Amino acid sequence: DQQVKQNSPSLSVQEGRISILNCDYTNSMFDYFLWYKKYPAEGPTFLISISSIKDKNEDGRFTVFLNKSAKHLSLHIVPSQPGDSAVYFCAASANGQNFVFGPGTRLSVLP
Amino acid sequence: EAGVTQFPSHSVIEKGQTVTLRCDPISGHDNLYWYRRVMGKEIKFLLHFVKESKQDESGMPNNRFLAERTGGTYSTLKVQPAELEDSGVYFCASSQRQGGTEAFFGQGTRLTVV
């Protein structure tokens, strides 16, 4: 039973437009959420995080939104750049325990 | 500051052999995690060390996998004997605190069992 779901295996966006990656979770005990970006043959790289006490966190072109009642979070990238093309993983943890990862969404930003 | 480093970067072994993967976390990070990604699927948790102690090893698939973290510094993950389904990319990550902070990942070790 997947606790963290990313229902879109892939997403294509035109350069300059907004990329929206979605993530849903089932465990209401999750209190910390992260997004990681992964290029081929590299380890996941931390991108942005959000605590359950917040509903939005912004860092440059990246914004994460958290809707606790819907158990849903999303990552917005604007404007999207070709270098953003990668696999994006949503991850969550509860009470400082291990991180649970979603299956990932492959983002392709087309020039 | 050096990041999380993993050795080797890739390993090809025959079924039944033994392989040991090593992870050097970021200096000062008490928390060390091992994860595995099989067949390009999701990244699955294996276990979590806090210093030298195993905090959570609920993700370890079976007793062919043995993880150690002597002295609370680097960690090793041994697979003995290796099976075909053990093939995948093994990631190590470390974090400073146990909760509310990101974990930093190594580049992974790609293990291929033939």
Side-chain angles (χ1 to χ4, degrees), chain B residues 23-43:
Chain B
C23 169
D24 286 76
I26 292 173
S27 177
H29 282 193
D30 287 342
N31 294 276
L32 187 149
Y33 308 84
W34 282 99
Y35 286 86
R36 178 172 73 171
R37 190 177 188 212
V38 173
M39 296 281 289
K41 295 185 178 176
E42 69 260 38
I43 300 169

Side-chain angles (χ1 to χ4, degrees), chain A residues 21-77:
Chain A
L21 297 108
N22 293 303
C23 176
D24 296 283
Y25 60 96
T26 58
N27 188 344
S28 57
M29 298 300 293
F30 286 145
D31 57 9
Y32 191 67
F33 305 89
L34 312 93
W35 283 94
Y36 281 86
K37 178 170 72 173
K38 185 185 178 308
Y39 294 119
E42 294 183 11
T45 303
F46 169 74
L47 201 55
I48 192 168
S49 65
I50 188 167
S51 162
S52 61
I53 62 173
K54 292 186 173 183
D55 54 20
K56 177 184 174 182
N57 188 25
E58 190 174 351
D59 183 3
R61 295 185 298 114
F62 303 91
T63 303
V64 56
F65 295 92
L66 174 62
N67 182 335
K68 286 187 291 296
S69 60
K71 295 193 180 68
H72 177 83
L73 68 156
S74 60
L75 174 68
H76 292 210
I77 306 173

Side-chain angles (χ1 to χ4, degrees), chain A residues 2 31-32 34 36 38 41-46 49 51 87 89 93 95-104 106, chain B residues 31 33 35 37 40-45 48 55-56 58 91 95 98-108 110:
Chain A
Q2 256 184 0
D31 57 9
Y32 191 67
L34 312 93
Y36 281 86
K38 185 185 178 308
E42 294 183 11
T45 303
F46 169 74
S49 65
S51 162
V87 178
F89 291 96
S93 71
N95 300 320
Q97 298 308 307
N98 71 82
F99 299 97
V100 180
F101 282 80
R106 182 177 299 278
Chain B
N31 294 276
Y33 308 84
Y35 286 86
R37 190 177 188 212
K41 295 185 178 176
E42 69 260 38
I43 300 169
K44 285 200 169 181
F45 168 77
H48 170 204
Q55 176 83 359
D56 180 357
S58 61
F91 292 106
S95 68
Q98 192 162 339
T101 187
E102 66 273 20
F104 295 89
F105 279 75
Q107 84 282 7
R110 179 174 294 279

Side-chain angles (χ1 to χ4, degrees), chain B residues 3 11 13 30-31 40 45 51 61 67-68 85 87-89 91-92:
Chain B
S11 177
I13 61 170
D30 287 342
N31 294 276
F45 168 77
K51 296 186 179 178
E68 293 179 328
E85 64 264 23
S87 296
V89 182
F91 292 106
C92 173

